[in-house]
Amino acid sequence: MTKHRNYFAVLAILLVSSFLFAQGAKESSSTNNTITVYAYDAFCGDWGPGPAIVTEFEAKTGIKVNLVSAGDAIEMLIKVQSEKNNPIADVVVGISDDMAAKAYAADLFEAYQSPSLASIPAFLQFDPSHKLLPFDYGNFAFVVDTEKLPSEMFPTSLQALTDPKYKNKVLLIDPRTSSVGLGLLLWTIEVYGEQEYLSWWKAMKQNALTITEGWSSAYGLFTEGEAPLVLSYTTSPVYHVTYEDTTRYQTLLFSEGHSTTIESVGLLSSSKNKEHAKAFIDFLLTDAQLEIATANSMYPVNSTTELPPAFDWAPKPQKNLSLDAATIEKNLDRWLTEWTQVMSK
């Protein structure tokens, strides 16, 4: 099935599901004191910062938040598009910079120049129109379970991962449904170029235990011991050090360098409660930054945030890789189609 057929199939399902719960959600978000926030699953889940942030925000402001787990980042964007004529959400949390072009094309977000931007370095503010405001960032990486894989077998590069000795030892994520999976796809294009990236995926298809739809599923299988290597972030060990007091899970730095990602928050132009929505965005970029850094295991964007010692277990790559937004916008559909053709054979 092609990228476009997948897109419209998901869109049709979301249209039906959105209609079924629209009335209840719309009632809660239409009250003057309540906003609805869509966020990706990992942000809203037991491991994520969402629940604690909502509790703190409500206590500080008196504004109620209806936090909705809306799938992975790509699914979330499709969901908001499907509801364009019957809007539910006020704020969307988790659109990555490599998805920005699709977000702009959908014409969903309103510019908001938050006062908090003064404390965010310019290199993280990827959207000069301020429709998408950065709230955390990091590098994609593979994380290893040191109790399941001996140190002499730790891979040191993307190329090393294709060795047959890693058969059924790697958990990958679908780039069509996950921003983390998409991050790896772009990472391989950055390293190998358009002529060779599919060769890497052909080899990795033999080594992957499975390819999950989202990061939460992959990382859950990883921590359950199903495979010793998982696609995640350089900062993922921070969570385990902070909340589990263990250094069992460690980041692998690769010789080719690592792809970067910036996650953003956006104010929907269809929001009927924009002042409260802006207050939530401001809170996300200030008071919530430490909670985001530790629970989300990502770097905070606000330069005034003091990081705890656990971040010593998040090694920084010597080489950061990225593709410009225009290149991604021009080629992404084709890359996803090519990936699907290779992985479905």
Side-chain angles (χ1 to χ4, degrees):
M1 181 178 286
T2 67
K3 159 73 173 171
H4 294 293
R5 286 173 63 190
N6 272 329
Y7 177 95
F8 287 113
V10 173
L11 182 59
I13 293 170
L14 289 173
L15 281 168
V16 174
S17 60
S18 297
F19 177 79
L20 291 176
F21 79 89
Q23 293 305 312
K26 197 170 184 180
E27 286 174 8
S28 64
S29 63
S30 63
T31 59
N32 291 332
N33 205 39
T34 303
I35 58 172
T36 293
V37 175
Y38 282 179
Y40 53 91
D41 291 343
F43 187 92
C44 301
D46 293 339
W47 296 348
I53 289 172
V54 166
T55 299
E56 293 167 12
F57 176 75
E58 290 179 339
K60 180 177 181 178
T61 66
I63 300 169
K64 298 298 181 182
V65 177
N66 176 30
L67 182 63
V68 177
S69 182
D72 214 306
I74 294 175
E75 295 172 314
M76 182 168 56
L77 183 57
I78 295 172
K79 180 177 177 61
V80 177
Q81 286 179 275
S82 75
E83 297 170 350
K84 191 170 186 179
N85 295 325
N86 187 26
I88 296 170
D90 299 282
V91 175
V92 175
V93 175
I95 303 298
S96 58
D97 55 332
D98 51 29
M99 294 170 55
K102 286 190 175 295
Y104 302 148
D107 194 25
L108 298 167
F109 298 98
E110 178 175 306
Y112 173 48
Q113 194 158 355
S114 169
S116 308
L117 290 173
S119 299
I120 299 176
F123 78 91
L124 294 171
Q125 298 185 39
F126 63 88
D127 180 5
S129 72
H130 304 303
K131 291 183 178 180
L132 296 174
L133 283 64
F135 70 86
D136 70 6
Y137 71 102
N139 293 88
F140 295 112
F142 282 87
V143 176
V144 61
D145 181 345
T146 61
E147 294 185 8
K148 295 289 184 178
L149 196 72
S151 58
E152 60 269 20
M153 279 192 66
F154 289 3
T156 58
S157 65
L158 283 175
Q159 192 59 39
L161 269 181
T162 64
D163 191 301
K165 69 183 179 182
Y166 297 111
K167 185 176 179 62
N168 293 329
K169 289 182 170 60
V170 187
L171 290 157
L172 299 180
I173 307 171
D174 196 324
R176 298 167 300 181
T177 54
S178 167
S179 59
V180 183
L182 178 58
L184 178 57
L185 178 65
L186 298 179
W187 185 5
T188 59
I189 293 170
E190 290 158 3
V191 169
Y192 295 106
E194 289 199 69
Q195 303 303 314
E196 298 296 333
Y197 82 101
L198 289 175
S199 297
W200 186 88
W201 283 98
K202 288 176 183 176
M204 281 306 299
K205 184 169 65 170
Q206 307 303 317
N207 286 351
L209 176 66
T210 188
I211 300 176
T212 67
E213 290 187 354
W215 175 88
S216 295
S217 299
Y219 211 80
L221 291 172
F222 172 68
T223 56
E224 289 167 7
E226 294 298 321
L229 295 163
V230 66
L231 172 63
S232 194
Y233 300 92
T234 58
T235 44
S236 291
V238 172
Y239 176 90
H240 302 287
V241 174
T242 302
Y243 296 101
E244 300 172 351
D245 193 27
T246 180
T247 58
R248 171 179 176 175
Y249 307 105
Q250 297 181 17
T251 297
L252 297 172
L253 289 186
F254 284 176
S255 57
E256 301 102 334
H258 292 253
S259 184
T260 59
T261 183
I262 304 171
E263 293 187 312
S264 69
V265 56
L267 169 66
L268 287 170
S269 56
S270 59
S271 171
K272 301 297 190 293
N273 204 346
K274 291 179 181 176
E275 290 309 308
H276 286 355
K278 289 177 181 178
F280 181 81
I281 292 172
D282 293 342
F283 186 84
L284 203 69
L285 303 185
T286 53
D287 293 16
Q289 282 287 285
L290 183 57
E291 180 69 31
I292 289 171
T294 53
N296 224 24
S297 297
M298 295 282 276
Y299 288 109
V301 295
N302 193 308
S303 59
T304 66
T305 308
E306 294 187 15
L307 292 175
F311 272 82
D312 292 342
W313 290 93
K316 291 189 175 182
Q318 293 185 349
K319 186 177 182 181
N320 293 291
L321 306 173
S322 64
L323 288 171
D324 65 273
T327 300
I328 295 173
E329 180 182 13
K330 180 181 178 182
N331 297 290
L332 183 56
D333 284 347
R334 176 173 56 82
W335 291 336
L336 288 169
T337 299
E338 291 172 350
W339 181 91
T340 302
Q341 291 171 343
V342 165
M343 303 304 283
S344 61
K345 289 181 180 177

